[in-house]
DNA sequence: CATAGCCGTGACAACGTTGTCAATTTGTCT
DNA sequence: AGACAAATTGACAACGTTGTCACGGCTATG
């Protein structure tokens, strides 16, 4: 015999116990003005006593908002997306919003259908869009059409007036490249990120700018296309390292690929950092777990997501105008880079 | 001038366009019986034409279910939790349920309050509980009290009759240990997992069983407490490896700690696998990215989560009796283990 | 001292679905 | 054909909130 669970308290119960109308309880709960302090306290006491929690469904239905925020992403490295998730989650929690994670399937039209399906079904209040989804103009137009507020966690590039939070990818890549140059490296390999990501181009730009600023010729043979995943970094590194006059340093556009470079070096019997310096980008968990530990650009992933969510919630709650932000980065020098060998 | 977005179609609109009552539309949408095929088709056509999507909130309110499933976890390694998430997500998607991820804060009473707060606020239909939360009897009792169906992704141990999905941790650990013994190792170090996880004890048991079966004495000095995180593995390994007559192999209870062991070995100048064999557990992403690649136990994390979600959804939808499952594992032999050196 | 305006409160109608139950149509069996 | 059961459909009341608006009491103003 299972004992019937106690009926959940509803607003009615609270109202009766407090001797007020349900609307007053509602006011208290939503921090609306025009409630006497004494009344507010009385209601709050009862709420606590009855362990009352308003029904999200009822609130959504009546209030025409769902308290649900979506976070969509495509296929980023696990280490990266977890940081994003936690940043967004942390901010949501502060305002009692819930976060709905959604890994998008497909690309192009199919991706769009997937996202819109989510939006239509769940009545999301807002959306956090990560790269490279944030680069689909079609998607953004579709979201606009539904009047759905959203913030992008991505570099600003798309010709579209929406708020975003990003960092200076080009600047960071340039600084890292200059750091390598400062170590005496002249033949510096570069592994480009996934072509769908705007950031990939920015990082390449930074690399080129640093070379140019130091009078080093840009050479195609030192540059390879990667896809932000471990294997692509490994493959690219093998190509780079098996040519005559191979690079003495390789800068990969993210940590996963840099880890792949390390693996390639190990397999080729090339010591890092003695014979080869390796640098990554992102400063995710993997950077600290490979050997040698990766020199990399610290990207404030958690803060990026937190900030994006913050912007979104402000837009939703105070109706404030959309704004964008750029956060700082910093170089983290660990054991994978060293002065060039003679 | 922003053009007002088109009003969302509601069930009423569909009903009128199809010339039926809203209840009939509802029947069609919920696959209820007793609708003439012709009517069903007519309704479906209109639904598609109007791009109608039922309101989750209204459905929840009226139908007393939310189509929302919670996935709660504490602080597991990023690589692990992402696999869990995707497994659960995939299954949810099949039945148009949404998944609400929730990282639990605090421990003991505070943890409980956190989870119950989530449950009370969102009216979840069900919950996926991962270790070590799944080991709190108090929490499970509290969930029962609220009559909330849940499935645990965790080894079955707790004296509590709820469905779970797990794998044979003890058997796997035993097999891995025997594999090391088979390579000729006799001094085998072991790093225990986080003490809050039941699986930690199981894996230790398997280690001990293998030793016993092969007439090898269990020695405390070869065993250290770890916490499932990289640093703890590194610290433990340093202790194990700096003693006289150090182990020739170390079996860590998860991959993160095994990666830590590799790091320690590198720092101590001990070659892996020539002078030291290292084995992990879980087969997460990290196992393939460290050097040398880790020999480990492949845990079907994705499937575990998928299966757990499947069980939960079946209970919810068909009201079927709770059942539990055990999934298989397999040893993955990579480059971090080798025949013992002379 | 009258009057306008604000504050605090409550009554009641949404919000968009599903559950219940009754009404109608259709089919089956003598 | 008549009687009864089953299949199909619809009317209407929930579900638990928030939005709207009205009302009384109090304060500031002329």
């Amino acid at each position: 015999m299972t004992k019937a669970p106690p009926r959940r308290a509803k607003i009615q119960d609270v109202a009766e116990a407090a001797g007020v109308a349900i609307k007053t309880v509602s006011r208290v709960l939503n921090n609306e003005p025009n409630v006497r302090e004494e009344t507010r306290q009385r209601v709050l006491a009862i709420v606590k006593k009855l362990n009352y929690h308003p029904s999200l469904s009822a609130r959504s239905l009546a209030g025409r908002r769902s308290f649900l925020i979506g976070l969509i992403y495509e296929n980023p490295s696990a280490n990266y997306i977890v940081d994003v998730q936690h940043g967004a989650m942390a901010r949501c929690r502060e305002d009692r919003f819930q976060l709905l994670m959604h890994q998008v399937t497909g690309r192009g039209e199919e991706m769009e259908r997937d996202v819109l399906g989510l939006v239509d079904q769940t009545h999301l209040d807002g959306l956090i869009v990560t790269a490279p989804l944030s680069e689909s103009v079609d998607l953004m137009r579709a979201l606009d059409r539904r009047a759905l507020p959203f913030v992008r966690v991505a570099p600003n590039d798309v010709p579209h007036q929406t708020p975003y939070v990003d960092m200076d990818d080009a600047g960071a890549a340039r600084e890292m490249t200059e750091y390598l140059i400062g170590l005496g490296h002249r033949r510096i390999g570069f592994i480009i990120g996934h072509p769908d990501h705007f950031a990939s181009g920015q990082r390449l730009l930074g690399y080129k700018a640093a070379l140019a600023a130091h009078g080093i010729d840009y050479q195609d043979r030192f540059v390879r296309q990667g896809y932000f995943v471990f294997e692509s970094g490994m493959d690219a590194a093998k190509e780079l390292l098996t040519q005559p006059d191979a690079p003495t340093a390789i800068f990969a556009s993210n940590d996963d690929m840099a880890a792949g470079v390390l693996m390639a070096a190990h397999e080729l019997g090339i010591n890092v950092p003695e014979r080869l310096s390796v640098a990554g980008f992102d400063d995710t968990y993997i950077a600290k777990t490979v050997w040698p530990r990766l020199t990399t650009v610290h990207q404030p992933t958690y803060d990026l997501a937190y900030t994006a969510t913050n912007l979104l919630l402000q837009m939703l709650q105070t109706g404030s105008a959309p704004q964008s932000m750029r956060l700082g980065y910093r170089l983290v020098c660990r054991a994978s880079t060293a002065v060039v060998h003679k």
Side-chain angles (χ1 to χ4, degrees), chain A:
Chain A
M1 275 297 88
T2 43
K3 193 182 62 179
R7 196 177 55 85
R8 288 181 59 126
K10 39 172 152 179
I11 200 171
Q12 186 82 254
D13 304 325
V14 177
E16 280 168 16
V20 297
I22 58 171
K23 182 64 218 192
T24 299
V25 178
S26 172
R27 287 199 180 89
V28 171
L29 263 45
N30 292 287
N31 284 315
E32 284 174 33
N34 300 336
V35 179
R36 215 185 328 164
E37 187 53 28
E38 179 204 318
T39 314
R40 178 182 303 276
Q41 293 307 330
R42 186 153 35 99
V43 169
L44 285 177
I46 303 279
V47 163
K48 192 160 191 183
K49 181 175 155 210
L50 298 183
N51 188 32
Y52 166 73
H53 291 272
S55 150
L56 223 172
S57 327
R59 249 144 85 93
S60 309
L61 186 56
R64 293 171 199 94
R65 63 206 153 135
S66 62
F67 299 94
L68 243 41
I69 298 237
L71 167 60
I72 59 177
Y73 61 93
E74 194 190 51
N75 202 14
S77 93
N79 293 308
Y80 179 82
I81 196 60
V82 165
D83 284 343
V84 171
Q85 288 181 3
H86 287 163
M89 239 187 235
R91 185 59 187 82
C92 279
R93 203 170 296 206
E94 290 172 16
D95 288 5
R96 312 190 140 253
F97 269 67
Q98 298 292 334
L99 190 64
L100 225 49
M101 246 71 92
H102 188 88
Q103 184 178 26
V104 171
T105 61
R107 335 208 73 214
E109 284 235 356
E110 194 189 330
M111 172 275 275
E112 236 179 281
R113 260 199 308 278
D114 186 10
V115 175
L116 295 179
L118 172 76
V119 171
D120 287 339
Q121 278 169 48
T122 52
H123 294 226
L124 294 175
D125 283 344
L127 202 57
I128 308 282
V129 185
T130 61
L133 303 171
S134 52
E135 271 136 48
S136 161
V137 179
D138 285 344
L139 177 61
M140 292 196 294
R141 266 207 263 278
L143 294 176
D144 276 347
R145 220 171 297 129
R146 283 172 172 67
L148 184 73
F150 63 102
V151 175
R152 294 178 292 145
V153 181
N156 179 36
D157 58 307
V158 196
H160 192 271
Q161 215 34 46
T162 49
Y164 63 85
V165 181
D166 77 349
M167 59 166 277
D168 182 5
D169 283 279
R174 175 174 176 155
E175 236 179 79
M176 177 60 84
T177 309
E178 291 188 326
Y179 169 72
L180 293 172
I181 294 172
L183 291 174
H185 295 279
R186 289 301 174 269
R187 302 197 304 278
I188 302 176
F190 186 82
I191 306 180
I192 311 173
H194 195 293
D196 284 357
H197 290 244
F198 178 72
S200 298
Q202 292 299 297
R203 294 176 192 177
L204 177 59
L205 240 45
Y207 163 76
K208 286 181 176 172
L211 294 188
H214 292 262
I216 304 175
D217 280 345
Y218 171 87
Q219 295 188 54
D220 271 339
R221 71 184 187 99
F222 288 151
V223 177
R224 286 291 180 283
Q225 180 68 56
Y227 301 91
F228 279 151
V229 297
F230 181 83
E231 286 76 13
S232 71
M234 195 170 73
D235 295 344
K238 281 182 185 162
E239 289 183 26
L240 289 172
L241 294 171
T242 51
Q243 55 184 311
D245 254 347
T248 60
I250 295 182
F251 179 14
S253 293
N254 79 346
D255 288 343
D256 286 300
M257 295 196 298
V261 174
L262 289 184
M263 181 64 75
H266 284 132
E267 291 184 354
L268 294 171
I270 301 172
N271 280 344
V272 176
E274 294 81 6
R275 309 291 298 178
L276 176 72
S277 285
V278 177
F281 203 111
D282 282 353
D283 196 23
T284 50
Y285 177 67
I286 198 174
K288 280 163 268 186
T289 59
V290 291
W291 190 85
R293 292 183 177 84
L294 277 177
T295 290
T296 188
V297 175
H298 178 80
Q299 171 161 29
T301 314
Y302 180 97
D303 292 337
L304 246 22
Y306 183 95
T307 307
T309 311
N310 189 39
L311 253 35
L312 184 60
L313 289 181
Q314 280 179 4
M315 288 166 55
L316 293 179
Q317 298 181 313
T318 72
S320 64
Q323 48 176 321
S324 297
M325 299 200 68
R326 165 157 283 191
L327 301 189
Y329 59 88
R330 69 170 195 280
L331 258 52
V332 180
C333 299
R334 299 207 181 86
S336 66
T337 48
V339 172
V340 68
H341 62 274
K342 302 282 150 51

